[in-house]
Amino acid sequence: MLKQRILTALVLAPLAIAAILLLPTGGFALLIAAMSLQAMWEWSRLAGVRSQPIRIAILAATALLLALLWMIRDEPVAWVVVGAGLVWWALSLAWLARLSWGAAPTPGNAGWKMLAGAFAVLPAWLALVVLHGQAPNGHAWALLAVLLVWSADTGAYFAGRRFGTTKLAPRVSPNKTRAGAWGALVVAGAVALAGGWLLGARGAALAGVIVVALLTVLASILGDLVESLLKRQANVKDSGALFPGHGGLLDRVDSVFSAMPVFVAGKALLDLFTPT
């Protein structure tokens, strides 16, 4: 499985990096919109939506909302949407504390889970599009945001394998450990230090980038746990089988959805108080 994961990553990572750095923001927005729709398709399965026509209607509604968000991306209201994503992920802590909530396969619970999916996916898409389109260096900052999540996943995996004994949330995800969480923070902190320096942050601004990065990593862990809870309640191992060794698309981007609103909001505060 590890060999499969590495081979898949070696193929996908260069393509993702090239897309972030080389695509104009419009093209990049379309690409991650397609990924967001695939993620919502997988989320609807985990939520317990069985009807194919209803799942297709959910995708159509999501596509319309993405188009609307594109039109208001430069307006102040866009930050309200990003803030709604932050609020949702804060509220998800209560869900993790009460694991039985929403577990019954009822239409009502499926509806609530789809609402949660909308608050997870749409603000993250908008946050990443806004970041990518910012001048100067929006493409590079977007790459750094994604690299933080990737490096955190890598650090968590290897630190967990080497040092992991105490489980982080055994009732939600038995494979995650506290050592893995520390590994994620250490590796992502190093990436933030290097990335922030290369992007011109110095002194207090660089320290701020590192703090924002660490908060982003904590949010990414939260997103991973929430998807693990969804899969546990749906009694499935993966959200799909799109990528060999990696599962579905949602299995790869759950951390990104929770991380992006935190990173983009944090960077906006840094730009406000410590312009670089």
Side-chain angles (χ1 to χ4, degrees):
M1 184 64 72
L2 177 59
K3 182 179 179 180
Q4 268 192 327
R5 290 172 66 93
I6 292 174
L7 290 174
T8 302
L10 288 175
V11 172
L12 294 179
L15 294 176
I17 292 171
I20 294 170
L21 292 179
L22 301 179
L23 285 177
T25 299
F28 177 70
L30 282 174
L31 175 62
I32 59 173
M35 296 173 63
S36 297
L37 291 173
Q38 174 63 29
M40 282 295 283
W41 180 260
E42 295 176 9
W43 189 295
S44 66
R45 170 177 173 253
L46 297 181
V49 181
R50 306 300 179 192
S51 168
Q52 292 289 92
I54 292 178
R55 294 177 74 190
I56 292 171
I58 289 171
L59 286 195
T62 302
L64 288 175
L65 289 171
L66 289 171
L68 176 62
L69 292 178
W70 171 258
M71 290 187 288
I72 59 97
R73 68 190 185 283
D74 295 324
E75 303 297 329
V77 70
W79 292 103
V80 176
V81 178
V82 174
L86 293 174
V87 171
W88 148 244
W89 288 111
L91 291 175
S92 71
L93 290 168
W95 191 9
L96 292 174
R98 189 178 180 183
L99 302 181
S100 61
W101 186 88
T106 65
N109 284 339
W112 281 111
K113 288 177 181 178
M114 288 313 306
L115 183 62
F119 278 104
V121 173
L122 296 174
W125 179 88
L126 181 59
L128 194 49
V129 168
V130 168
L131 180 63
H132 193 269
Q134 286 179 350
N137 301 322
H139 294 48
W141 280 105
L143 178 60
L144 176 59
V146 173
L147 286 177
L148 288 174
V149 178
W150 290 353
S151 62
D153 286 345
T154 302
Y157 181 80
F158 287 104
R161 281 173 61 94
R162 178 64 179 87
F163 304 108
T165 54
T166 304
K167 303 299 182 183
L168 180 64
R171 295 177 60 198
V172 179
S173 182
N175 293 328
K176 293 179 177 59
T177 64
R178 294 184 183 180
W182 282 111
L185 290 167
V186 169
V187 174
V191 170
L193 175 62
W197 180 272
L198 290 173
L199 284 166
R202 299 290 187 272
L206 183 57
V209 169
I210 295 171
V211 170
V212 169
L214 297 180
L215 293 174
T216 299
V217 170
L218 292 176
S220 75
I221 294 171
L222 176 60
D224 206 354
L225 289 174
V226 168
E227 199 230 354
S228 294
L229 178 57
L230 275 171
K231 290 190 290 186
R232 181 168 290 273
Q233 291 187 350
N235 196 31
V236 297
K237 181 179 181 294
D238 296 315
S239 66
L242 190 61
F243 302 121
H246 287 265
L249 180 68
L250 187 58
D251 293 317
R252 293 300 92 211
V253 299
D254 52 358
S255 301
V256 175
F257 287 144
S258 55
M260 288 305 105
V262 173
F263 184 86
V264 173
K267 181 180 180 297
L269 290 175
L270 287 179
D271 290 343
L272 182 62
F273 293 108
T274 56
T276 59

